[in-house]
């Protein structure tokens, strides 16, 4: 198999939906027995060494969408959680039942706002941090 350059890989990832990308990350984690979240501190530490730490702390660019309550329309909320994540029915139901829990973590501001609006539209209580 021909080796893909970093630019080629990024171009492929750009074309993926969030759900497809999430499924890829899970498959990658299982295949190589790693956790993507563990790589984040390494990236932050590398950025801090470059002197960009003050700018990164000044403006937050990653947000967490936290489900604080399901509201009256629990089934609708479960459907929205499944749309936003790659969770199965049981996992989505467990997440909604166990609120407050994060639905999405470390996403861009636009994605966090859209997810929060979708969840609020289904009747859920949502917090974006």
């Amino acid at each position: 198999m021909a080796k893909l350059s970093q630019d080629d890989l990024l171009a492929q990832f750009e074309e993926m939906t969030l759900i497809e990308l999430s499924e890829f990350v899970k498959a990658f984690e299982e295949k190589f027995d790693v956790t993507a979240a563990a790589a984040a501190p390494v990236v932050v530490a590398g950025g801090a060494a470059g002197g960009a730490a003050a700018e990164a702390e000044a403006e937050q660019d990653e947000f967490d969408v936290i489900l604080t309550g399901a509201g009256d329309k629990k089934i609708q909320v479960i459907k929205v959680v499944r749309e936003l994540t790659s969770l199965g029915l049981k996992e989505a139901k467990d997440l909604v039942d166990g609120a407050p829990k994060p639905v999405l973590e470390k996403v861009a501001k636009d994605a966090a706002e859209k997810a929060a609006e979708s969840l609020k539209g289904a009747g859920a209580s949502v917090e974006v941090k």
Side-chain angles (χ1 to χ4, degrees):
M1 178 164 85
K3 184 175 180 182
L4 296 175
S5 71
Q6 188 174 14
D7 291 335
D8 292 337
L9 286 172
L10 289 173
Q12 290 297 314
F13 291 139
E14 277 182 338
E15 296 175 12
M16 298 174 105
T17 65
L18 286 176
I19 292 173
E20 291 171 334
L21 191 55
S22 175
E23 290 170 354
F24 169 78
V25 169
K26 286 181 183 178
F28 186 89
E29 289 173 339
E30 289 174 12
K31 171 89 174 167
F32 296 104
D33 194 27
V34 295
T35 303
V42 174
V43 174
V44 171
E55 291 178 27
E57 291 177 7
E59 186 176 331
Q60 182 179 358
D61 60 349
E62 291 182 337
F63 296 85
D64 296 341
V65 179
I66 300 170
L67 177 70
T68 56
D72 295 338
K73 301 177 182 176
K74 188 169 147 181
I75 294 173
Q76 295 297 336
V77 174
I78 292 170
K79 287 180 181 180
V80 173
V81 168
R82 289 191 68 204
E83 290 173 9
L84 295 172
T85 65
S86 61
L87 296 176
L89 180 60
K90 182 182 181 335
E91 292 85 3
K93 182 183 179 303
D94 291 344
L95 187 145
V96 171
D97 287 342
K101 289 225 175 169
V103 176
L104 297 173
E105 296 180 307
K106 297 182 181 177
V107 296
K109 185 176 182 177
D110 295 347
E113 289 174 352
K114 287 180 185 178
E117 287 298 317
S118 297
L119 288 164
K120 287 178 184 175
S125 301
V126 181
E127 189 176 297
V128 177
K129 289 187 175 182

